[in-house]
Amino acid sequence: MWIAAAAAGLFAGAGLIIAIGAQNAFVLRQGLQQRHVGKVVLACAGADIVLILAGIGGMGALVLRWPLLLQVLRFGGAAFLLWYGLQAGLRAWRGGSALAAAEAQGGSGREILLTCLAFTLLNPHVYLDTVVLLGSLSTRYPGDLRWAFAAGACVASVAWFCTLGYGARLLQPVFRRSSAWRVLDAGVAIFMFCLATLLLLRPL
């Protein structure tokens, strides 16, 4: 039963975490640059673990009782995504000298960490997915089995962000070309603008 509960948490967590695209795009970019990857991975996985455990512990019901908080996160998150999308669009427009220029534009460790946390904590869907949905799914498992479910979901988060952050280096030969960075940044800009629009137009 413990293994079954943990496996269920692993697959449920993987399905939800991989779908959070804006955060993933940021982790991928940092992984390609190989700048502060450990901090980014630790921040993303650590935040997920805290939220997952909060959901398993019963915080999901409290989140649903605070619709105003979710609306604040909705509009704040949309504004942040628009700002980041604009920055990516400008990078795509201006271009650069491949990977070396991208590394030079990376920013300080503190700036990168704050940006990473903004991607994580200003996305209201993160709370709905990790706290509410995973918390609700865990109620199918009695007693301590729900913590096995939580452990599986936490492992999924750590494995995903480690793979995305550290595995991105395999794509570095492609991103030695400035055109590849321009395509990536253009795609990120469009993606961020689409996510921001969805947040503004679709109620939570």
Side-chain angles (χ1 to χ4, degrees), residues 1-17 49 51-53 55-57 129-157:
M1 289 295 291
W2 282 82
I3 295 176
L10 178 70
F11 288 113
L16 293 173
I17 292 161
I49 289 171
L51 293 173
I52 290 168
L53 295 179
I56 305 300
D129 287 345
T130 57
V131 178
V132 177
L133 188 53
L134 286 177
S136 299
L137 290 174
S138 72
T139 60
R140 299 174 54 190
Y141 298 93
D144 291 341
L145 286 179
R146 63 179 178 160
W147 297 110
F149 179 92
C154 291
V155 167
S157 177

Side-chain angles (χ1 to χ4, degrees), residues 1-202:
M1 289 295 291
W2 282 82
I3 295 176
L10 178 70
F11 288 113
L16 293 173
I17 292 161
I18 292 172
I20 301 174
Q23 184 189 50
N24 289 340
F26 177 76
V27 176
L28 176 63
R29 182 177 177 84
Q30 293 307 128
L32 286 169
Q33 296 173 341
Q34 289 297 293
R35 288 181 59 84
H36 306 290
V37 178
K39 289 182 180 179
V40 169
V41 169
L42 182 62
C44 290
D48 266 4
I49 289 171
V50 170
L51 293 173
I52 290 168
L53 295 179
I56 305 300
M59 289 293 290
L62 292 179
V63 169
L64 292 177
R65 291 176 188 172
W66 294 338
L68 180 61
L69 174 60
L70 288 177
Q71 293 307 313
V72 170
L73 291 170
R74 173 189 174 193
F75 291 106
F80 174 75
L81 290 174
L82 288 171
W83 173 82
Y84 193 84
L86 178 61
Q87 299 300 310
L90 290 174
R91 288 195 302 267
W93 177 263
R94 294 168 182 163
S97 56
L99 189 59
E103 290 170 346
Q105 298 169 3
S108 69
R110 182 173 179 272
E111 291 171 347
I112 290 170
L113 183 59
L114 289 175
T115 303
C116 180
L117 291 175
F119 269 117
T120 303
L121 302 177
L122 288 179
N123 182 358
H125 291 289
V126 170
Y127 298 92
L128 294 175
D129 287 345
T130 57
V131 178
V132 177
L133 188 53
L134 286 177
S136 299
L137 290 174
S138 72
T139 60
R140 299 174 54 190
Y141 298 93
D144 291 341
L145 286 179
R146 63 179 178 160
W147 297 110
F149 179 92
C154 291
V155 167
S157 177
V158 173
W160 169 249
F161 287 118
C162 285
T163 300
L164 189 61
Y166 291 105
R169 69 179 65 193
L170 299 176
L171 297 175
Q172 282 186 332
V174 175
F175 285 88
R176 296 290 173 187
R177 301 191 299 270
S178 61
S179 59
W181 278 103
R182 298 185 76 173
V183 170
L184 175 65
D185 282 326
V188 167
I190 294 170
F191 189 50
M192 298 299 170
F193 288 143
C194 289
L195 288 178
T197 301
L198 288 174
L199 276 179
L200 292 173
L201 297 181
R202 293 174 56 187

